[in-house]
Amino acid sequence: MASTAHSSLTPTFSQKERAQTLDPNRSIGVFDSGIGGLTVVRALMERLPFENIAYFGDTARVPYGVKSVETISHFTTQIAEFLLEKDVKLLIIACNTMAAVAAGVVRDLSPVPVLDVIDAGAAAAKDGKRIGVIGTPTTINSNAYARAIHDHAPDSRIYSQACALFVPLVEEGWLEHEVTRLTAREYLRPLLAEKIDTMVLGCTHYPLLKPLLHEVSGPGVKLVDSAEAMAEQAAAVLNEKGLANPGPHPPRYDFYVTDVPLRFQTIGERFLGRTLTNVHVVKM
Ligand code: DGL
């Protein structure tokens, strides 16, 4: 399950989480199947410039978007446990596919608050009446976005579309390429035929396609970037819990990956919009 019913934009937390006294200097743990979650890291760096971040990208086992629920749950548990051992104060599931099928698993095992991109994206889409959702096949098949959006906007109509080719096109760097434009027209046609007013970018990679998707969907469709929505939600939760790092020390960023980091570093810098250092290889 991606989400439970919420009455406000910030999620509520369990007794177990409230009982914890967490140090604001501890890092935020962010994780993803690979490189894509760096779009969430980028949004967090911009919104919360004093926060330390420990990022985990499972580059040896990516992509998750075409894997089974069982496999994704198993990998997700390993990664969450790894970050909890690093003493993070907050866990952010940056991968929409993991959030779609394994958010419950993470919430059950975590003693610190857990946020996920699907809940954040769904909350940010709540003013839409006819909402399109695009994501990987596993995310779309799980129906997690539709359920989460209905929690926030029960009267909305939701139309979903899996866009399997967008992840490789983004990783290829074809952000404005004609092939990507044609692919987007094809994928978005059924959603646009339903006269959607809002479209949720339900995959880590899609924020990089925002200009092209905006061009294809037209000015009448509001794009919801779940990475930006996640950063807003994280800021609200840290403030509410007195967990925000007040600074002014420069933050520390650590990146843990499961495969040799060359590709992560080259493509990752495009996602992050800055140089990537402190990359550590982890064997799982
Ligand atoms: N991170 C995944 C997501 O947001 C996309 C890449 C993958 O399929 O693993 O759905």
Side-chain angles (χ1 to χ4, degrees), residues 15-205:
Q15 220 47 53
K16 175 176 72 170
E17 288 159 352
R18 268 194 290 271
Q20 287 243 330
T21 321
L22 297 170
D23 175 1
N25 285 309
R26 283 159 66 170
S27 300
I28 300 175
V30 183
F31 60 100
D32 177 54
S33 54
I35 296 164
L38 293 176
T39 52
V40 174
V41 172
R42 182 179 185 157
L44 287 168
M45 286 170 167
E46 282 165 12
R47 182 66 184 78
L48 297 163
F50 297 125
E51 295 296 338
N52 299 314
I53 297 174
Y55 177 83
F56 191 106
D58 195 1
T59 50
R61 302 187 291 199
V62 71
Y64 280 22
V66 287
K67 289 190 170 67
S68 70
V69 172
E70 199 186 21
T71 300
I72 296 167
S73 299
H74 174 57
F75 293 169
T76 305
T77 303
Q78 289 179 321
I79 297 166
E81 284 173 346
F82 175 89
L83 285 172
L84 288 170
E85 274 173 28
K86 298 273 167 222
D87 260 347
V88 295
K89 62 181 176 183
L90 173 72
L91 275 177
I92 294 183
I93 309 175
C95 177
N96 291 258
T97 305
M98 287 189 200
V101 301
V105 174
V106 181
R107 291 201 164 91
D108 284 349
L109 68 83
S110 177
V112 302
V114 178
L115 302 179
D116 75 77
V117 271
I118 292 193
D119 187 48
K126 71 176 188 351
D127 293 334
K129 299 277 171 279
R130 303 177 72 79
I131 305 173
V133 178
I134 55 175
T136 65
T138 303
T139 297
I140 296 304
N141 290 339
S142 75
N143 233 11
Y145 261 109
R147 285 198 303 270
I149 292 170
H150 267 141
D151 284 346
H152 293 282
D155 297 331
S156 60
R157 300 291 301 263
I158 298 159
Y159 306 93
S160 303
Q161 174 69 46
C163 304
L165 294 174
F166 280 167
V167 166
L169 287 168
V170 169
E171 295 204 2
E172 196 60 32
W174 288 9
L175 308 182
E176 295 284 350
H177 197 288
E178 201 45 31
V179 169
T180 314
R181 186 168 288 103
L182 288 173
T183 308
R185 279 196 195 123
E186 197 63 32
Y187 279 143
L188 300 193
R189 185 171 298 130
L191 299 181
L192 297 173
E194 295 293 350
K195 304 257 180 294
I196 55 166
D197 52 41
T198 304
M199 185 163 72
V200 180
L201 311 185
C203 173
T204 47
H205 290 56

